[in-house]
Amino acid sequence: MNRGRSVDAFERAKRVIPGGVNSTVRAFKGVGGTPVFVAHASGCTLVDVDANAYVDYVMSWGPLIVGHAHPAVVEAVRDAATRGTSYGAPTEVESALAELVVAMVPSAEKVRFCSSGGEATTFALRLARGITGRSGVVKFAGCYHGSVDPFLVSAGSSALTIGLPDSAGVPANATADTLVAPYNDLAAVRALFEARGRDLAAVIVEPYVGNMGLVLPRPGFLAGLRALCSEFAALLIFDEVMTGFRVAPGGAQEREGIRPDITTLGKILGGGLPVGAVAGPAALLDHFTPDGDVFQAGTLSGNPLAMAAGLATLTELRRPGVYERLETAGSRFTQGLDAVFGAHGVAHQSTFRGSMVGFFFADEPVTDLVSAKRADTRLYARFFHAMLDRGVYLAPSQFEAGFLSLAHDDAAIDRTIAAADEALAAITAAV
Ligand SMILES: *Cc1c(COP(=O)(O)O)cnc(C)c1O
């Protein structure tokens, strides 16, 4: 497979863009080699600048649950653009999208839109601190809440991929109130509450972690967090930027039957355009300015193009049978890979929730960051490149979830499984 033009494009980019990319994980540091430069995409297919086609399992890192360039989304964005791209004044489409969010997400009565997931978690934390008058926040090692200072402690996603869980330039006082516990370790959270309970504003958690690979909660973990927060009058923040509208219409909170106090959303909510949101009961959300005293603002917040793309995406997701189809696709992908890994004697841990999938090359179950880090990242890098050469675009890191969409039909999934079989045969032959 010739990728000469991507190589040239990367050289050009590196001259004017740090590292050649505008978001760290895109640089392929976790797997080596040159990033694929995209020319266009449609459905589940990504086409690079050398005209190579790939079945895409990154899907813009989650937003594209209805597929690339879905006609309804394209039409909505085109239509909105003809009426102006931004006004900085309220529009009716913001209420229409907020009404859909309220209809779909169990804990949401009101929604405040912003422009990214990281903004949403920042505003959610400010809201929790403003409401409680406390400053401490508990996060979990390996969870990622955006590229924002208070959460860049033991963070997942690209921060983890480059082996730098923390960042230079984050002053100690920005994270002084951030306490870190191992995911799935309720006793550790209880200990933090017993030590600092009256100072803790919130616990923030990815209910299903998608940013250290896919790691699921043990039975009782999320319910335990709910109970601890209630006991100590702290707020429970579910960061559903990834899981929202992905694992069920109402996200992980619907699937698990747990009511968080505050929910952060993004990704699918913007249908591929920049969006974030904070959602929750009116009694909490009304603390935001102008009615309350927790300040929030954004020049492009509730942007009409992004609202239109989100509205079109959520409307597609409300069609009957959609989530059953996504669940079936996730299951077909995971079972197919399991069979191939098994046939080649490759130790692996795989799981899925709906169309969110994950596999680790690891001997032991992965339940937290420590066990995730035991995965064989060298084997992942070889598998990644062998798959890329066979027309499958997986996440360029062991520590990311994979995403299917309504456009991933059986034929695409089966081609992927066949490619995995060939890839592993090539890898084991080369050893
Ligand atoms: C992607 C993600 C974010 C950050 O969203 P951005 O739009 O990249 O700022 C926050 N939390 C979770 C759980 C995410 O997956």
Side-chain angles (χ1 to χ4, degrees), residues 189-286:
V189 184
R190 173 164 280 285
L192 290 176
F193 268 105
E194 279 167 359
R196 302 251 328 243
R198 266 178 305 201
D199 182 43
L200 293 182
V203 172
I204 186 167
V205 65
E206 287 182 72
Y208 303 153
V209 191
N211 284 295
M212 53 173 156
L214 178 57
V215 178
L216 297 174
R218 286 204 183 99
F221 176 63
L222 296 173
L225 294 181
R226 175 65 281 176
L228 274 173
C229 286
S230 299
E231 181 183 341
F232 287 88
L235 298 177
L236 178 61
I237 304 173
F238 269 14
D239 183 355
E240 298 228 46
V241 169
M242 189 181 280
T243 53
F245 315 106
R246 167 64 62 180
V247 298
Q253 60 192 266
E254 175 184 343
R255 211 166 159 134
E256 298 291 319
I258 309 272
R259 279 292 162 103
D261 298 298
I262 300 173
T263 301
T264 50
L265 298 165
K267 296 198 168 114
I268 289 172
L269 180 61
L273 274 80
V275 168
V278 182
L284 299 182
L285 269 281
D286 284 339

Side-chain angles (χ1 to χ4, degrees), residues 58-66 246 266-273 313 403:
V58 177
M59 299 306 285
S60 187
W61 302 100
L64 305 178
I65 194 167
V66 298
R246 167 64 62 180
K267 296 198 168 114
I268 289 172
L269 180 61
L273 274 80
T313 298
F403 301 100

